[in-house]
């Protein structure tokens, strides 16, 4: 770049030639940005497109809310199941493994349908039975309708992702050197203290990038909830497109909205990763 | 001889087909330094790790500070709080500063307040000679400094006994002395210490008893003078010849 024009031949061989540099440029990013600019321009100038965008925007809150709540629940499930999978108690270990293996082997969509249309009604009638048995008016007379679709979706996503996150936590915990456990135990700390103050802080730091990526995956998988009629951005787009026949425009805007969210989130994840790994390790 | 603070009887530890510790008896008098020597694989570290139940003995009896080791985890944790341990690999907590490393167990196990724990941590860092490293993370410290923080971490619990498991074996030669100096000072202060080490100089200068182990058995036990100058057993002589060559 700042090399003088009279640079020795050996220098010019070290510096990449213009063609190499052009070939290595992130063209995909350029195309992406251009595409984004075109769509943004359309949203600002074309009223039809603007209407589509406005309609879809109303579902963003639902999409983000179901994703965030489901992911938080999945982390809680993942943490405890992950701990259970490292347990020396055979019963605890087997229960946790059963859950993980079953859930991981079922497609996400099937699992969502199953929990929404089989799991929740079963749970409701079980609650009714219990309510009748103990004579509690609070627990009797509940129907599946009392459990809104958005909750079922959240439950389904949380159960599904909980299994994946538990494997993350398990790997994170098992990746911590034995000496850390031994030093903690030698100081008289019990299992809970050892996990809480020594093992998990290190394990979580290590699995942070994976957790971040899984959050982005969940944002995308949350589009599956449209099959249950929850008004997330995918569902709204489906309805909008079929009522206006603007399929190309509607689904392009939908893809644009997802892409914007996932790219922004992946930047946030990257930034968190850098912050966490900066000095300590 | 005063009452033993550690009393081990017929200790056996079996790893699969390997009998790592084979019927070991050992008494450690209060306030004395015992050095366990022996070739690698002789079971010396395993004996040490059985004392605070990091290894669960296959059979035998261990009494520490008048309390018999049981399988009850509450009892084990209570005893561990009285027994400090220093590891070959330091095992500092990498996500905590030196000060936080020393404070953690004080707060969680000893239930000390933040201020009490901090005061004690600062005091122990001074004792091991690196008060200026209080806010450094382990990755920013040399091996010798890390090991001294690990010693300070154990001492801050005000243990009655200190166990050292090859504390200088992972150190560069120029850092061994700074750790041994801390250990010598500790020995001089009347701390009960059990050390597995290859530092013969330390054994000569600080030990009251030298225990020589081989193949899981105690071969010889005497004072350092007698052990180094006139070992009684053939295997002790062979070992010393190897190591002092």
């Amino acid at each position: 770049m700042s090399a003088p024009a009279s640079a020795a031949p050996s220098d010019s061989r070290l510096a990449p030639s213009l063609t190499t540099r052009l070939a290595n440029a992130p063209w995909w990013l350029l195309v992406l940005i251009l595409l984004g600019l075109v769509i943004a321009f359309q949203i600002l100038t074309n009223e039809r497109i603007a209407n589509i965008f406005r309609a879809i925007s109303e579902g963003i809150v639902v999409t983000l809310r179901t994703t965030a709540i489901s992911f938080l629940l999945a982390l809680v499930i993942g943490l405890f199941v992950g701990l259970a999978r490292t347990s020396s108690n055979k019963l605890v270990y087997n229960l946790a493994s059963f859950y993980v293996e079953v859930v991981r082997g079922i497609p996400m969509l099937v699992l969502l349908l199953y929990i929404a249309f089989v799991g929740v009604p079963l749970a409701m009638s079980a609650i009714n039975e219990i309510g009748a048995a103990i004579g509690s008016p609070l627990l009797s007379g509940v129907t599946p309708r009392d459990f809104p679709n958005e909750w079922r979706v959240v439950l389904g996503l949380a159960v599904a992702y909980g299994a994946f996150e538990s494997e993350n936590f398990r790997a994170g915990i098992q990746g911590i050197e034995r000496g850390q456990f031994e030093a903690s135990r030698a100081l008289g700390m019990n299992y809970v203290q050892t996990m809480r103050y020594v093992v998990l802080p290190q394990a979580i730091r290590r699995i942070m990038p994976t957790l971040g990526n899984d959050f982005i995956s969940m944002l995308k998988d949350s589009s599956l909830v449209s099959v249950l009629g929850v008004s997330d951005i995918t569902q709204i787009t489906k309805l909008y497109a079929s009522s206006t026949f603007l399929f190309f425009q509607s689904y392009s805007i939908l893809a644009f909205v997802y892409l914007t969210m996932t790219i922004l989130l992946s930047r946030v994840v990257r930034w968190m990763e850098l912050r966490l790994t900066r000095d300590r390790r | 001889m005063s009452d033993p603070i550690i009393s081990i009887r017929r200790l056996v530890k079996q790893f699969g087909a390997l009998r790592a510790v084979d019927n070991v008896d050992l008494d450690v008098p209060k306030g004395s330094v015992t050095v366990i020597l022996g070739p690698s694989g002789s079971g010396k570290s395993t004996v040490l790790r059985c004392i605070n139940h990091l290894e669960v003995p296959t059979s035998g009896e261990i009494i520490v500070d008048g309390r018999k080791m049981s399988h009850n985890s509450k009892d084990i944790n209570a005893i561990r709080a009285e027994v400090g341990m220093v590891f070959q690999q330091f095992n500092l907590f990498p996500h905590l500063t030196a000060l936080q490393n020393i404070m953690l167990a004080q707060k969680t196990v000893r239930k000390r307040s933040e201020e009490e724990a901090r005061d004690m941590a600062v005091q122990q860092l001074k004792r091991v000679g690196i008060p200026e490293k209080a806010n450094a993370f382990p990755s920013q410290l040399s091996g010798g400094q890390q090991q001294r923080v690990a010693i300070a971490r154990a001492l801050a619990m005000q243990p009655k006994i200190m166990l050292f498991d090859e504390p200088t074996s992972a150190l560069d030669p120029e850092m061994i002395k700074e750790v041994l100096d801390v250990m010598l000072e500790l020995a001089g202060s009347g701390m009960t210490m059990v050390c597995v080490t290859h530092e013969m100089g330390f054994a000569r200068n600080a030990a009251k008893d030298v225990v020589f182990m081989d193949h899981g058995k105690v071969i010889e036990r005497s004072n350092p003078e007698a052990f180094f100058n006139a070992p009684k057993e053939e295997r002790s002589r062979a070992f010393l010849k190897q190591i002092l060559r």
Side-chain angles (χ1 to χ4, degrees):
Chain A
M1 277 163 266
S2 60
S6 64
S10 63
D11 282 346
S12 68
R13 220 184 303 147
L14 283 175
S17 72
L18 185 64
T19 35
T20 328
R21 266 190 286 164
L22 277 178
N24 288 333
W27 292 106
W28 61 271
L29 187 63
L30 191 69
V31 172
L32 212 59
I33 290 170
L34 282 177
L35 219 60
L37 286 177
V38 168
I39 293 178
F41 181 75
Q42 291 284 315
I43 290 170
L44 288 174
T45 56
N46 185 327
E47 198 180 337
R48 212 183 239 176
I49 305 284
N51 282 337
I52 299 175
F53 182 70
R54 219 170 296 129
I56 294 178
S57 304
E58 279 168 22
I60 288 182
V61 173
V62 174
T63 292
L64 288 178
R65 186 172 59 211
T66 46
T67 306
I69 298 175
S70 310
F71 197 68
L72 279 179
L73 284 176
L75 286 182
V76 174
I77 295 173
L79 172 61
F80 285 104
V81 175
L83 284 169
R85 291 263 280 172
T86 63
S87 173
S88 53
N89 182 320
K90 289 292 168 228
L91 178 67
V92 170
Y93 169 81
N94 277 294
L95 282 173
S97 300
F98 181 80
Y99 160 70
V100 172
E101 295 302 336
V102 165
V103 168
R104 280 201 308 179
I106 298 177
M108 190 90 59
L109 181 57
V110 176
L111 195 70
L112 277 180
L113 294 171
Y114 194 86
I115 286 176
F117 298 127
V118 182
V120 169
L122 274 180
M124 288 299 144
S125 50
I127 288 173
N128 278 333
E129 296 280 333
I130 294 167
I134 62 172
S136 156
L138 198 71
L139 291 181
S140 47
V142 290
T143 67
R145 284 181 188 285
D146 292 334
F147 205 88
N149 265 348
E150 194 176 324
W151 294 11
R152 300 184 196 198
V153 156
V154 165
L155 186 68
L157 285 175
V159 166
Y161 269 74
F164 295 111
E165 299 319 324
S166 76
E167 286 298 271
N168 271 337
F169 278 103
R170 183 180 64 83
I173 292 165
Q174 288 177 342
I176 302 298
E177 296 75 19
R178 229 171 70 125
Q180 295 288 310
F181 292 88
E182 291 188 344
S184 311
R185 305 316 292 274
L187 285 162
M189 292 164 74
N190 60 35
Y191 172 80
V192 174
Q193 291 167 335
T194 301
M195 285 296 165
R196 159 100 174 68
Y197 297 108
V198 177
V199 176
L200 285 175
Q202 296 181 62
I204 288 171
R205 205 158 285 172
R206 287 190 199 180
I207 63 174
M208 201 69 195
T210 329
L211 294 183
N213 288 332
D214 284 359
F215 182 75
I216 294 168
S217 294
M218 187 183 262
L219 180 73
K220 291 187 285 176
D221 279 342
S222 76
S223 63
L224 290 172
V225 308
S226 60
V227 300
L228 298 181
V230 173
S231 302
D232 76 321
I233 54 178
T234 305
Q235 172 71 0
I236 289 176
T237 309
K238 254 164 55 179
L239 294 178
Y240 195 95
S242 52
S243 65
T244 59
F245 297 105
L246 297 170
F247 290 98
F248 173 72
Q249 293 88 333
S250 304
Y251 284 113
S252 298
I253 297 291
L254 177 64
F256 169 73
V257 170
Y258 271 120
L259 206 52
T260 310
M261 290 195 291
T262 51
I263 288 179
L264 285 178
L265 274 173
S266 68
R267 290 294 96 192
V268 173
V269 168
R270 182 86 195 114
W271 172 78
M272 277 179 11
E273 218 181 302
L274 286 175
R275 250 190 56 136
L276 283 172
T277 51
R278 203 169 39 197
D279 39 27
R280 309 190 171 174
R281 201 143 222 234
Chain B
M1 195 153 111
S2 57
D3 277 349
I5 192 166
I6 303 172
S7 176
I8 299 173
R9 290 288 169 268
R10 299 177 305 283
L11 177 68
V12 173
K13 176 66 189 180
Q14 192 93 26
F15 292 112
L18 175 76
R19 185 160 279 214
V21 176
D22 190 2
N23 230 350
V24 164
D25 290 332
L26 183 68
D27 283 325
V28 177
K30 200 171 176 175
S32 77
V33 176
T34 301
V35 169
I36 306 177
L37 299 173
S40 66
S42 59
K44 52 197 194 307
S45 280
T46 309
V47 169
L48 201 68
R49 292 161 60 84
C50 283
I51 294 175
N52 66 354
H53 230 262
L54 281 185
E55 300 289 355
V56 181
T58 306
S59 67
E61 185 182 275
I62 300 177
I63 297 171
V64 177
D65 193 26
R67 259 186 290 207
K68 196 169 155 187
M69 269 288 180
S70 67
H71 290 284
N72 182 318
S73 64
K74 272 225 168 73
D75 292 348
I76 292 171
N77 284 336
I79 291 176
R80 280 172 175 163
E82 306 297 333
V83 181
M85 185 160 194
V86 175
F87 299 86
Q88 181 177 356
Q89 298 295 341
F90 329 136
N91 295 344
L92 290 180
F93 308 133
H95 61 302
L96 300 178
T97 63
L99 207 64
Q100 290 166 334
N101 260 281
I102 305 172
M103 289 167 66
L104 179 59
Q106 293 188 66
K107 290 196 289 185
T108 55
V109 179
R110 287 275 189 241
K111 309 290 180 203
R112 289 180 189 152
S113 72
E114 181 86 13
E115 292 75 40
E116 281 177 291
R118 183 179 301 273
D119 288 348
M120 173 60 81
V122 169
Q123 187 188 325
Q124 295 303 337
L125 274 177
K126 276 193 193 130
R127 183 175 189 180
V128 300
I130 40 173
E132 74 281 5
K133 295 295 181 189
N135 294 314
F137 285 96
S139 58
Q140 298 164 327
L141 299 173
S142 72
Q145 289 168 338
Q146 287 190 53
Q147 192 60 298
R148 286 192 279 164
V149 172
I151 295 173
R153 176 173 71 178
L155 289 176
M157 299 293 283
Q158 295 175 304
K160 295 182 172 142
I161 300 160
M162 284 284 284
L163 308 176
F164 289 85
D165 189 4
E166 304 201 27
T168 56
S169 298
L171 294 175
D172 291 334
E174 73 269 23
M175 290 168 188
I176 289 176
K177 187 175 175 299
E178 63 188 60
V179 171
L180 287 181
D181 284 347
V182 171
M183 289 171 64
L184 280 169
E185 186 268 325
L186 200 56
S189 75
M191 172 66 76
T192 306
M193 292 164 67
V194 184
C195 311
V196 170
T197 182
H198 296 298
E199 293 301 323
M200 297 302 145
F202 177 80
R204 264 180 202 277
N205 294 328
K208 181 175 173 293
D209 294 300
V210 172
V211 175
F212 177 71
M213 285 185 67
D214 196 13
H215 291 111
K217 285 184 161 59
V218 172
I219 304 296
E220 181 167 352
R221 176 186 180 160
S222 54
N223 62 55
E225 184 84 0
F227 181 78
F228 286 108
N229 296 334
K232 287 184 283 246
E233 301 292 328
E234 179 53 40
R235 268 189 276 181
S236 314
R237 277 197 287 274
F239 173 74
L240 284 174
K241 223 161 119 189
Q242 281 288 319
I243 216 154
L244 295 177
R245 190 174 32 171

